[in-house]
Amino acid sequence: MKKILFAASEGVPFIKTGGLADVVGSLPKCIDKEYFDVRVILPKYTCMKQEMKDKLEYVTHFYMDFNWTDAYVGVLKAEVDGIQYYFIDNEGYFGGFKPYGDNALFEIEKYAFFSKAVLSVLPILDFRPDLIHCHDWQTGLVPVYLKERFQGNDFFRGIKSVITIHNLKFQGKWDPKVVQNITGLPQYYFTPDKLEAYKDANLLKGGIVFADAVTTVSDTYAEEIKTKFYGEGLEGLLKARSGDLRGIVNGIDYEEFNPETDKYIVKPYNAVNFRKEKAKNKRALQEELGLRVDEKKMMIGVVSRLTDQKGFDLIAYVMDELCQDDIQLVVLGTGEERYENMFRHFDWKYSDKVSANIFYSEELSHKIYASCDAFLMPSLFEPCGLSQLMSLRYGTVPIVRETGGLKDTVQPYNEYEGTGTGFSFANYNAHEMLAAVRYAEQIYYDKKREWNKIVDRAMAADFSWEVSAKKYQEMYDWLIGY
Ligand code: ADP
Ligand code: GLC
């Protein structure tokens, strides 16, 4: 039995800010239990839902040498859906109102602490993984510490590590002297062949340099990040490591996201009866959100972090024009104030057409995936994207920009061949996006049978974890040995 430990800063069902949590919560369940014992370690955030905190069981605590003090490390555990979770507790670090804060230096200290604690706790738990699977910059120091101070110890020698890049934009950067002081790593680690990048210490870079393999969450993004536009300054390193870098597209939890059994939606439906049943959800949502109730209106959904990454400046640019069309737009998201206010403004201006829901809600997100006809996701860059996969699963036709995982998972509609699961456009241009939306409107209103065939194909597409989990397993086997 090969032992794998996932180390990450968020994971469903305990704590979630974005797609990383969905992946960390769903992938381990789909790894073959006959051959792999996969466990997950997360921070114990005070802001976790009480009902989740109630599931945690105290294991032990100890003190760890960190940032010139003996830092408290509490250890808790919980088992969910057959997966063993561990939690690192320290209220000084994980006590905020949100998992991530705005003080960049404190974030670095917090996740350096977490990364070191992840390794320190293993002998105490008597769990020696064959491989630690790290996710994003927050766990970038795990491969570094593993190769450095823990190598002197028999317990750790030979443990492999993988880092998955979910988003290259966030790297965890700060002045090298300060980071050296916090992490206790020797000075010679802070050179351009190791942790340093452009005069900063860079935790993600450390992970990429020291991990035994690097993955990211789609094939296209794996190629894109070797270029200057998408490489966020690390394109050179990623090119150099291209032999150890591969894209494995994300899946979603097909049990959690299932229009037939979804407990949040008014009218369950499936690939056979969606023509009759799906619109009942639309009607209910129109009523709930105070939009004009009309099953025939094309409803477009957005569920997203409201950031530049997701292409909201394109939407802002043509929003007034878009609102002249015969559509409804339902938005659920939080993020940058200018986008939050932009949607609030249009909700006020076109109150029977636009509904801006500026908060986080699992329930409303499911209702939107189920009720809308189309889903808009015009990202500037998108490592994978899960929202379009959820939309496909619910027969809600994605309209996307052809980048990263959006390009790999949404097949553009071709009216001549009768193929495609969605609509797409290539250039980061607001009117190109608008043209794609209008093309979708035209098919929706004028060629309803064609539209329904797109929905058929969307619902038939398979983005469960099955295929991708096998690719992870192959990689684990290859790294650990058979
Ligand atoms: P990213 O990880 O870049 O935010 P993804 O598409 O991979 O993008 O994943 C986003 C996840 O977060 C999806 O599960 C989406 O439904 C969810 N999500 C985003 N914003 C909200 C919100 N305001 N309320 C509920 N769920 C949200
Ligand atoms: C990141 C990316 C998103 C991806 C998610 C899970 O948040 O922005 O594209 O789907 O991670 O891998």
Side-chain angles (χ1 to χ4, degrees), residues 16-20 22 257 303-305 309-310 332-334 359-362 365 369 377 382 385-388 390:
K16 165 168 165 179
T17 73
L20 169 62
D22 290 307
F257 295 95
V303 178
S304 185
R305 293 184 289 117
Q309 172 189 341
K310 304 292 177 177
L332 172 63
T334 60
F359 49 84
Y360 185 92
S361 163
E362 208 69 54
S365 76
Y369 291 125
M377 199 165 171
E382 198 60 75
L386 300 175
S387 293
Q388 84 281 12
M390 294 161 186

Short mmCIF file of all heavy atoms in Angstrom, two decimals, residues 16-20 22 257 303-305 309-310 332-334 359-362 365 369 377 382 385-388 390, ligand 1:
data_model
loop_
_atom_site.label_atom_id
_atom_site.label_comp_id
_atom_site.label_asym_id
_atom_site.label_seq_id
_atom_site.Cartn_x
_atom_site.Cartn_y
_atom_site.Cartn_z
N LYS A 16 -13.25 26.46 2.19
CA LYS A 16 -13.14 26.68 0.75
C LYS A 16 -13.18 28.16 0.39
O LYS A 16 -14.04 28.89 0.87
CB LYS A 16 -14.29 25.95 0.04
CG LYS A 16 -14.51 26.37 -1.42
CD LYS A 16 -15.44 25.42 -2.15
CE LYS A 16 -15.93 26.02 -3.46
NZ LYS A 16 -16.81 25.13 -4.22
N THR A 17 -12.24 28.58 -0.45
CA THR A 17 -12.36 29.91 -1.06
C THR A 17 -12.47 29.80 -2.57
O THR A 17 -12.88 30.72 -3.24
CB THR A 17 -11.18 30.85 -0.72
OG1 THR A 17 -10.03 30.43 -1.45
CG2 THR A 17 -10.87 30.87 0.76
N GLY A 18 -12.04 28.67 -3.13
CA GLY A 18 -12.08 28.51 -4.59
C GLY A 18 -11.88 27.07 -4.99
O GLY A 18 -12.04 26.14 -4.18
N GLY A 19 -11.51 26.88 -6.25
CA GLY A 19 -11.43 25.55 -6.83
C GLY A 19 -10.40 24.63 -6.18
O GLY A 19 -10.58 23.40 -6.19
N LEU A 20 -9.34 25.21 -5.60
CA LEU A 20 -8.35 24.38 -4.92
C LEU A 20 -9.03 23.47 -3.89
O LEU A 20 -8.73 22.27 -3.79
CB LEU A 20 -7.29 25.27 -4.25
CG LEU A 20 -6.33 24.60 -3.29
CD1 LEU A 20 -5.49 23.54 -3.99
CD2 LEU A 20 -5.41 25.65 -2.64
N ASP A 22 -12.07 22.39 -3.85
CA ASP A 22 -12.85 21.33 -4.50
C ASP A 22 -11.94 20.18 -4.89
O ASP A 22 -12.28 19.00 -4.72
CB ASP A 22 -13.54 21.87 -5.77
CG ASP A 22 -14.67 22.85 -5.46
OD1 ASP A 22 -15.55 22.48 -4.67
OD2 ASP A 22 -14.67 23.95 -6.00
N PHE A 257 -22.11 17.24 -7.36
CA PHE A 257 -22.71 18.02 -8.45
C PHE A 257 -23.46 17.08 -9.37
O PHE A 257 -22.90 16.52 -10.29
CB PHE A 257 -21.62 18.79 -9.20
CG PHE A 257 -20.96 19.83 -8.34
CD1 PHE A 257 -19.79 19.55 -7.65
CD2 PHE A 257 -21.55 21.07 -8.17
CE1 PHE A 257 -19.21 20.50 -6.82
CE2 PHE A 257 -20.98 22.02 -7.35
CZ PHE A 257 -19.80 21.74 -6.66
N VAL A 303 -20.71 32.55 -11.56
CA VAL A 303 -20.38 32.22 -10.17
C VAL A 303 -18.87 32.29 -10.10
O VAL A 303 -18.18 31.49 -10.72
CB VAL A 303 -20.83 30.80 -9.77
CG1 VAL A 303 -20.42 30.49 -8.33
CG2 VAL A 303 -22.32 30.63 -9.96
N SER A 304 -18.35 33.26 -9.35
CA SER A 304 -16.90 33.46 -9.48
C SER A 304 -16.32 34.35 -8.40
O SER A 304 -17.03 35.18 -7.81
CB SER A 304 -16.64 34.13 -10.84
OG SER A 304 -15.27 34.27 -11.08
N ARG A 305 -15.03 34.20 -8.17
CA ARG A 305 -14.29 35.25 -7.47
C ARG A 305 -14.28 36.43 -8.43
O ARG A 305 -14.02 36.27 -9.63
CB ARG A 305 -12.84 34.81 -7.21
CG ARG A 305 -12.72 33.67 -6.22
CD ARG A 305 -11.26 33.33 -5.91
NE ARG A 305 -10.59 32.69 -7.05
CZ ARG A 305 -9.56 33.18 -7.71
NH1 ARG A 305 -9.04 34.36 -7.38
NH2 ARG A 305 -9.02 32.53 -8.71
N GLN A 309 -8.51 38.04 -13.03
CA GLN A 309 -8.26 36.74 -13.67
C GLN A 309 -9.47 36.26 -14.46
O GLN A 309 -9.33 35.62 -15.50
CB GLN A 309 -7.90 35.70 -12.59
CG GLN A 309 -7.82 34.28 -13.15
CD GLN A 309 -7.68 33.21 -12.08
OE1 GLN A 309 -7.29 33.49 -10.95
NE2 GLN A 309 -7.98 31.97 -12.43
N LYS A 310 -10.65 36.54 -13.94
CA LYS A 310 -11.87 35.96 -14.50
C LYS A 310 -12.45 36.76 -15.65
O LYS A 310 -13.54 36.45 -16.14
CB LYS A 310 -12.90 35.76 -13.39
CG LYS A 310 -12.38 34.91 -12.22
CD LYS A 310 -12.17 33.47 -12.64
CE LYS A 310 -11.59 32.63 -11.50
NZ LYS A 310 -11.44 31.22 -11.85
N LEU A 332 -23.16 35.60 -8.92
CA LEU A 332 -22.86 35.27 -7.53
C LEU A 332 -21.35 35.35 -7.37
O LEU A 332 -20.62 34.63 -8.04
CB LEU A 332 -23.34 33.85 -7.19
CG LEU A 332 -22.92 33.30 -5.83
CD1 LEU A 332 -23.50 34.11 -4.68
CD2 LEU A 332 -23.32 31.82 -5.69
N GLY A 333 -20.89 36.24 -6.49
CA GLY A 333 -19.44 36.32 -6.31
C GLY A 333 -19.05 37.42 -5.35
O GLY A 333 -19.83 38.31 -5.04
N THR A 334 -17.82 37.32 -4.90
CA THR A 334 -17.23 38.40 -4.09
C THR A 334 -15.81 38.62 -4.59
O THR A 334 -15.24 37.76 -5.25
CB THR A 334 -17.13 38.01 -2.60
OG1 THR A 334 -16.30 36.84 -2.51
CG2 THR A 334 -18.47 37.72 -1.99
N PHE A 359 -22.05 37.80 -2.36
CA PHE A 359 -21.73 37.04 -1.15
C PHE A 359 -21.33 35.64 -1.57
O PHE A 359 -21.25 35.34 -2.77
CB PHE A 359 -22.94 37.01 -0.19
CG PHE A 359 -24.24 36.62 -0.83
CD1 PHE A 359 -24.57 35.28 -1.01
CD2 PHE A 359 -25.15 37.59 -1.27
CE1 PHE A 359 -25.78 34.91 -1.61
CE2 PHE A 359 -26.37 37.22 -1.85
CZ PHE A 359 -26.67 35.88 -2.02
N TYR A 360 -21.08 34.78 -0.62
CA TYR A 360 -20.69 33.41 -0.91
C TYR A 360 -21.83 32.49 -0.50
O TYR A 360 -22.32 32.59 0.63
CB TYR A 360 -19.41 33.05 -0.14
CG TYR A 360 -18.89 31.69 -0.50
CD1 TYR A 360 -17.96 31.54 -1.51
CD2 TYR A 360 -19.39 30.55 0.14
CE1 TYR A 360 -17.51 30.28 -1.88
CE2 TYR A 360 -18.96 29.30 -0.23
CZ TYR A 360 -18.02 29.16 -1.24
OH TYR A 360 -17.59 27.92 -1.61
N SER A 361 -22.28 31.64 -1.38
CA SER A 361 -23.33 30.70 -1.00
C SER A 361 -23.27 29.44 -1.85
O SER A 361 -23.48 29.47 -3.06
CB SER A 361 -24.72 31.36 -1.16
OG SER A 361 -25.71 30.35 -1.18
N GLU A 362 -23.00 28.36 -1.17
CA GLU A 362 -22.98 27.05 -1.82
C GLU A 362 -24.33 26.78 -2.47
O GLU A 362 -24.43 26.38 -3.63
CB GLU A 362 -22.73 26.00 -0.72
CG GLU A 362 -22.03 24.74 -1.15
CD GLU A 362 -20.59 25.01 -1.52
OE1 GLU A 362 -19.84 25.58 -0.71
OE2 GLU A 362 -20.24 24.66 -2.65
N SER A 365 -25.12 28.86 -5.50
CA SER A 365 -24.27 28.45 -6.63
C SER A 365 -24.88 27.24 -7.33
O SER A 365 -24.99 27.21 -8.55
CB SER A 365 -22.83 28.19 -6.19
OG SER A 365 -22.70 26.95 -5.52
N TYR A 369 -26.11 27.01 -11.25
CA TYR A 369 -25.65 26.00 -12.22
C TYR A 369 -26.85 25.25 -12.82
O TYR A 369 -26.85 24.90 -13.98
CB TYR A 369 -24.69 25.00 -11.57
CG TYR A 369 -23.35 25.60 -11.19
CD1 TYR A 369 -22.86 25.53 -9.88
CD2 TYR A 369 -22.58 26.26 -12.14
CE1 TYR A 369 -21.64 26.10 -9.53
CE2 TYR A 369 -21.36 26.83 -11.80
CZ TYR A 369 -20.90 26.75 -10.49
OH TYR A 369 -19.69 27.31 -10.15
N MET A 377 -17.84 32.78 -18.65
CA MET A 377 -16.55 32.70 -17.97
C MET A 377 -15.44 33.13 -18.94
O MET A 377 -14.75 32.31 -19.53
CB MET A 377 -16.35 31.24 -17.52
CG MET A 377 -15.32 31.05 -16.44
SD MET A 377 -15.50 29.40 -15.73
CE MET A 377 -14.03 29.35 -14.72
N GLU A 382 -6.87 30.91 -17.04
CA GLU A 382 -7.63 29.95 -16.24
C GLU A 382 -6.88 28.63 -16.18
O GLU A 382 -6.93 27.83 -17.11
CB GLU A 382 -9.02 29.75 -16.84
CG GLU A 382 -10.01 29.12 -15.87
CD GLU A 382 -10.20 29.99 -14.64
OE1 GLU A 382 -10.87 31.03 -14.72
OE2 GLU A 382 -9.65 29.60 -13.59
N GLY A 385 -10.26 25.76 -14.07
CA GLY A 385 -11.64 26.22 -13.99
C GLY A 385 -12.52 25.03 -13.67
O GLY A 385 -12.43 23.99 -14.32
N LEU A 386 -13.33 25.18 -12.64
CA LEU A 386 -14.27 24.11 -12.29
C LEU A 386 -15.70 24.53 -12.59
O LEU A 386 -16.56 23.69 -12.86
CB LEU A 386 -14.14 23.76 -10.80
CG LEU A 386 -12.75 23.28 -10.37
CD1 LEU A 386 -12.70 23.09 -8.87
CD2 LEU A 386 -12.37 22.01 -11.10
N SER A 387 -15.94 25.83 -12.57
CA SER A 387 -17.31 26.31 -12.77
C SER A 387 -17.87 25.87 -14.12
O SER A 387 -19.05 25.53 -14.22
CB SER A 387 -17.35 27.83 -12.68
OG SER A 387 -17.06 28.22 -11.36
N GLN A 388 -17.03 25.88 -15.14
CA GLN A 388 -17.54 25.45 -16.46
C GLN A 388 -17.83 23.96 -16.45
O GLN A 388 -18.72 23.49 -17.17
CB GLN A 388 -16.57 25.85 -17.58
CG GLN A 388 -15.41 24.93 -17.84
CD GLN A 388 -14.27 25.10 -16.83
OE1 GLN A 388 -14.42 25.75 -15.80
NE2 GLN A 388 -13.13 24.52 -17.11
N MET A 390 -18.91 22.29 -13.79
CA MET A 390 -20.18 22.17 -13.06
C MET A 390 -21.33 22.54 -13.98
O MET A 390 -22.38 21.88 -14.00
CB MET A 390 -20.15 23.09 -11.82
CG MET A 390 -19.10 22.61 -10.81
SD MET A 390 -18.60 23.87 -9.62
CE MET A 390 -17.27 22.98 -8.78
P1 ADP B 1 -10.99 29.55 -8.86
O1 ADP B 1 -10.46 28.42 -8.10
O2 ADP B 1 -9.99 30.26 -9.69
O3 ADP B 1 -11.78 30.50 -8.03
P2 ADP B 1 -12.66 27.52 -10.17
O4 ADP B 1 -13.61 27.62 -11.29
O5 ADP B 1 -11.63 26.48 -10.25
O6 ADP B 1 -12.04 28.95 -9.96
O7 ADP B 1 -13.44 27.20 -8.83
C1 ADP B 1 -14.30 28.09 -8.23
C2 ADP B 1 -15.16 27.36 -7.22
O8 ADP B 1 -15.64 28.27 -6.24
C3 ADP B 1 -16.38 26.72 -7.84
O9 ADP B 1 -16.72 25.58 -7.06
C4 ADP B 1 -17.44 27.81 -7.67
O10 ADP B 1 -18.74 27.30 -7.69
C5 ADP B 1 -17.07 28.33 -6.30
N1 ADP B 1 -17.45 29.73 -6.02
C6 ADP B 1 -16.84 30.87 -6.44
N2 ADP B 1 -17.46 31.96 -5.94
C7 ADP B 1 -18.49 31.50 -5.20
C8 ADP B 1 -19.52 32.14 -4.41
N3 ADP B 1 -19.59 33.46 -4.30
N4 ADP B 1 -20.40 31.33 -3.77
C9 ADP B 1 -20.33 29.98 -3.89
N5 ADP B 1 -19.39 29.34 -4.60
C10 ADP B 1 -18.48 30.08 -5.24
#
